[in-house]
Amino acid sequence: MTNKSILPEIEASAHCDGPCGVYDPASARIAGEAVQSMTKKMLALEYPKVFSSESMASYLNTMSRYAAIKDEEAQKCKHELLVLWTDFFKPQHLDAHPELHTTFWQAAKLCSACKVEVSATHAQELMDAIEAIHHMFWEIKGRDVPWIRAS
Amino acid sequence: MQRFIAVVSGDSMWPTYTDGQRLECTSDLQQLVVGSVVVFIHPLRSHLRAIKRIKDIDEKSLFVEGDHPDPLASEDSHNFGRIPRSNVVGIVLDIESE
């Protein structure tokens, strides 16, 4: 019978090929905050009180820039979420987080909604979904990382 | 015949073996067959010992694969190709009992 206490010990790597250690939902959070910020700016932008070529050009230019940034950041946010969903999260994580797929699906849909709408409600719901993903992610990593926002 | 303990690091063998699990192995390689789980020298990183299951075997080499159903969860012969038989250092016998 083998005396197990004296058996030599080695580490057997069972890792994936991807950069397991460098995923972070912060990328999605920053993009999501930009979407929310641009949405708020668009809703707050006042129509020119004095109508002129200059005032209209300025208004349209500002609104267009806000819309372009909102669209771009929403797409970026969706990309970051999809990478986390499909690459980082694994089937074994569903046991502890059965809501994982629904959360990501809704978050991705909210990114699309924020692109086609100017909705403060959907922008906030997107941030709520990203916050939920933040908590799932760091719980799986075994680290207590508080939810913070840059804005 | 020599016995040793392989401590699993990572989830590529989930759900069969999980991260941190201690596996009793043998260096007797006479029973290398399809289905066996083996510990081997990584073909592209010689300092690393990896653990996978044999999916195919011939006189010179083995095709090894992780058990994890997610294709992204395992770096195996799908990435680094077949490994030489000479890279195998052990066969997993069982989970170490308490």
Side-chain angles (χ1 to χ4, degrees):
Chain A
M1 186 175 168
T2 309
N3 184 348
K4 291 176 181 171
S5 63
I6 61 166
L7 289 178
E9 191 176 303
I10 65 167
E11 181 178 295
S13 175
H15 289 282
C16 65
D17 191 32
C20 299
V22 295
Y23 293 107
D24 192 331
S27 304
R29 190 258 303 161
I30 293 166
E33 283 195 64
V35 171
Q36 190 174 39
S37 174
M38 290 303 110
T39 300
K40 286 177 179 174
K41 285 178 183 291
M42 289 176 78
L43 291 170
L45 193 65
E46 293 179 6
Y47 199 73
K49 291 185 173 60
V50 179
F51 184 82
S52 69
S53 298
E54 275 189 8
S55 65
M56 279 307 294
S58 178
Y59 173 81
L60 290 172
N61 181 59
T62 303
M63 185 63 90
S64 302
R65 291 190 66 249
Y66 290 165
I69 294 168
K70 177 174 70 69
D71 197 279
E72 186 181 318
E73 294 295 328
Q75 187 61 38
K76 195 188 295 180
C77 186
K78 191 173 179 178
H79 170 78
E80 297 292 347
L81 289 170
L82 294 182
V83 169
L84 274 181
W85 188 13
T86 57
D87 293 5
F88 173 78
F89 287 97
K90 301 286 189 296
Q92 68 266 31
H93 301 145
L94 286 168
D95 291 340
H97 300 284
E99 76 286 11
L100 189 149
H101 287 328
T102 305
T103 304
F104 269 100
W105 190 30
Q106 289 301 327
K109 283 187 173 296
L110 284 163
C111 289
S112 300
C114 288
K115 277 163 67 86
V116 300
E117 301 168 353
V118 189
S119 168
T121 302
H122 282 160
Q124 182 56 51
E125 287 175 4
L126 173 60
M127 291 307 299
D128 293 343
I130 295 170
E131 183 177 357
I133 289 164
H134 165 97
H135 292 305
M136 281 192 283
F137 177 90
W138 288 113
E139 188 183 315
I140 286 167
K141 297 275 279 187
R143 289 172 55 185
D144 183 20
V145 176
W147 168 253
I148 55 160
R149 291 184 52 132
S151 56
Chain B
M1 181 173 68
Q2 191 185 353
R3 298 284 175 100
F4 65 93
I5 297 294
V7 183
V8 179
S9 171
D11 292 311
S12 74
M13 293 304 292
W14 183 89
T16 314
Y17 304 125
T18 54
D19 185 38
Q21 215 159 27
R22 295 168 61 83
L23 308 176
E24 189 171 345
C25 306
T26 175
S27 56
D28 177 3
L29 305 178
Q30 292 181 49
Q31 295 300 316
L32 274 183
V33 294
V34 170
S36 297
V37 176
V38 290
V39 178
F40 58 93
I41 299 166
H42 192 291
L44 305 179
R45 283 175 282 171
S46 60
H47 65 282
L48 208 63
R49 302 293 177 271
I51 177 171
K52 303 290 176 219
R53 188 179 298 279
I54 300 174
K55 302 301 283 189
D56 182 60
I57 188 167
D58 60 27
E59 290 179 0
K60 292 182 178 177
S61 66
L62 311 107
F63 189 96
V64 293
E65 193 178 77
D67 280 2
H68 203 294
D70 186 332
L72 295 175
S74 174
E75 185 192 31
D76 51 34
S77 286
H78 293 288
N79 309 96
F80 50 61
R82 298 178 74 92
I83 61 164
R85 272 177 176 260
S86 57
N87 277 36
V88 179
V89 299
I91 301 173
V92 175
L93 298 173
D94 205 353
I95 298 168
E96 185 187 40
S97 54
E98 295 297 324

